[in-house]
Amino acid sequence: MDQRVRPAPHEIRRARADNPKTRERDLAAELGISEAELVAAHCGDGVVRVEPRVNDLLTGLKAVGEVMALTRNESAVHEKIGVYDKVVTGNHNAMVLGENIDLRIFPKVWAHGFAVEKRDGGDIRRSLQFFDAAGEAVHKVHLRPASNLYAYQKLVAELESPNQESTVAVSEGGFADETEASDASADVDDLRDRWSRLTDVHQFFGMLKTLKLDRRQALRMVGQDYAWRLDNDAVSAMFHHAAEGEMPIMCFVGNRGCIQIHSGPITSIKPMGPWINVLDETFHLHLRTDHIQEVWAVRKPTKDGHVTSLEAYGADGKMIIQFFGQRREGESEREDWRFLAENLPRIPSPTAA
């Protein structure tokens, strides 16, 4: 956020009333505030501030039944309909491992929470919305007609905060980058050796942290036997090939506080302007293809053989979205996914400095 004087809560509410069709994220940007500040301004008017006690939230959501889980970043919105089932709580990492709702959560990032009611004609739309310290959305839960309203109201009452003020303090700087990048000290041979000895994809982040590399630096350095650049249209091409071949994939969209995963086939692909949309029964994805600056195919060794991911990055160097062929622990990679990933249109990979 910049240093301009922020509008008062009553000015925010007036702007919301004057622009009822504008999406919250877009209106907040127009006002020069965070989305959390926009929501907080309505406390007492359809909004109740709740404490972001992630473990209590996750265990309480199962009784609410069918809901829509939404996780997004600047360039992709990932929506899944299902139940918060198979919850694994934790203070540093929490997980939901249900058939449809599959989440990896980092509770320390969750700073602000709200229960929101919005009138839509004769209906009331209800949601739980959570934000990080900078006021950026990390995760939202939207009720559906089949949701258990009593269980939802009970959960909101349990999480309700004693602080119901209509302003919220947000940090200016957000968070530091995940890794302190410094390729001056990174050795290509060391990187390749460590990469070749990976036995699980989850070891990748630890390797980057040890070497003080960010993901794209590592991809540029490691060599084309492990990572190669693809044409920026490769993501759209992958969607269409996967849909035509009824190929089950895994689709990851995340931010600092939450990663949301779809596993299964995709069928209904609908481009609309810069957006490519997946509009399936229990999975919706909205991806800004014009935000994609680089696409990489990445090959990582595992104890089950190497696996191949497709990774799209934005202008800020952060990952927008990531794909794998659907697989379970102990299974080798799908041959159809590997063939697709290895035959998408390539462009020459930058030479490492």
Side-chain angles (χ1 to χ4, degrees):
M1 291 294 136
D2 58 33
Q3 297 299 318
R4 287 181 296 174
V5 176
R6 282 174 163 75
H10 73 274
E11 295 172 312
I12 297 171
R13 291 193 297 271
R14 186 190 313 130
R16 171 77 283 178
D18 290 344
N19 299 275
K21 300 294 186 184
T22 306
R23 293 182 181 275
E24 280 79 358
R25 189 180 180 92
D26 297 335
L27 181 58
E30 290 175 17
L31 295 173
I33 60 175
S34 68
E35 189 180 349
E37 290 170 283
L38 179 68
V39 177
H42 294 79
C43 277
D45 181 22
V47 173
V48 174
R49 191 190 296 263
V50 296
E51 295 179 354
R53 302 199 310 266
V54 172
N55 292 331
D56 293 337
L57 169 74
L58 296 180
T59 53
L61 275 171
K62 182 175 182 179
V64 180
E66 183 184 274
V67 294
M68 188 268 276
L70 186 154
T71 301
R72 68 165 302 157
N73 54 43
E74 189 65 32
S75 306
V77 185
H78 192 298
E79 302 171 353
K80 286 287 287 187
I81 295 170
V83 177
Y84 281 71
D85 195 12
K86 299 180 182 175
V87 169
V88 180
T89 58
N91 293 327
H92 297 285
N93 300 282
M95 295 184 287
V96 180
L97 302 172
E99 181 180 353
N100 278 327
I101 297 182
D102 188 356
L103 307 171
R104 306 295 178 271
I105 293 169
F106 311 103
K108 291 187 181 299
V109 176
W110 295 39
H112 310 287
F114 305 92
V116 179
E117 291 190 355
K118 290 182 67 176
R119 292 204 168 272
D120 184 8
D123 297 326
I124 298 176
R125 291 187 288 140
R126 296 176 174 89
S127 61
L128 289 162
Q129 305 187 15
F130 296 91
F131 303 85
D132 65 16
E136 291 286 317
V138 292
H139 190 61
K140 297 180 181 180
V141 183
H142 291 266
L143 266 62
R144 291 178 50 79
S147 302
N148 184 323
L149 183 57
Y150 171 77
Y152 170 78
Q153 291 171 334
K154 182 172 179 285
L155 179 60
V156 171
E158 290 170 355
L159 295 174
E160 185 172 346
S161 172
N163 172 16
Q164 293 297 325
E165 293 179 5
S166 55
T167 58
V168 63
V170 295
S171 62
E172 298 295 326
F175 294 85
D177 287 338
E178 291 177 348
T179 56
E180 185 182 339
S182 175
D183 57 359
S185 63
D187 179 82
V188 174
D189 292 335
D190 188 19
L191 170 63
R192 287 182 57 82
D193 177 61
R194 290 173 185 269
W195 194 304
S196 71
R197 290 187 284 109
L198 294 171
T199 59
D200 188 296
V201 292
H202 299 104
Q203 297 167 350
F204 190 72
F205 177 72
M207 179 190 75
L208 296 180
K209 198 169 185 180
T210 298
L211 294 173
K212 294 186 176 180
L213 286 172
D214 69 28
R215 292 183 77 101
R216 286 195 311 160
Q217 284 176 318
L219 301 185
R220 290 188 177 115
M221 290 172 61
V222 73
Q224 294 202 42
D225 50 342
Y226 286 127
W228 57 95
R229 281 281 303 275
L230 297 174
D231 187 276
N232 283 1
D233 291 331
V235 173
S236 296
M238 181 278 295
F239 275 127
H240 289 290
H241 283 295
E244 288 169 9
E246 298 180 347
M247 184 192 308
I249 65 170
M250 301 179 75
C251 172
F252 294 67
V253 169
N255 51 58
R256 293 188 181 278
C258 187
I259 299 168
Q260 186 161 305
I261 307 161
H262 163 76
S263 298
I266 54 174
T267 56
S268 179
I269 314 298
K270 305 287 187 186
M272 186 176 294
W275 296 89
I276 188 163
N277 305 286
V278 178
L279 302 175
D280 290 345
E281 187 176 355
T282 61
F283 174 48
H284 285 189
L285 176 75
H286 312 286
L287 173 65
R288 282 286 297 260
T289 56
D290 58 327
H291 285 188
I292 295 174
Q293 295 296 308
E294 290 183 9
V295 179
W296 290 81
V298 184
R299 183 183 287 141
K300 302 185 187 82
T302 77
K303 65 182 186 301
D304 305 312
H306 75 257
V307 298
T308 315
S309 60
L310 200 65
E311 303 179 359
Y313 293 84
D316 59 3
K318 295 177 183 175
M319 189 191 296
I320 296 172
I321 195 165
Q322 182 183 43
F323 305 93
F324 292 87
Q326 185 179 0
R327 61 181 283 273
R328 291 184 174 87
E329 195 76 23
E331 294 179 349
S332 58
E333 181 167 68
R334 296 179 60 91
E335 289 295 333
D336 53 359
W337 168 260
R338 183 177 294 180
F339 180 84
L340 174 57
E342 291 179 351
N343 286 278
L344 290 167
R346 304 188 184 201
I347 60 175
S349 183
T351 304

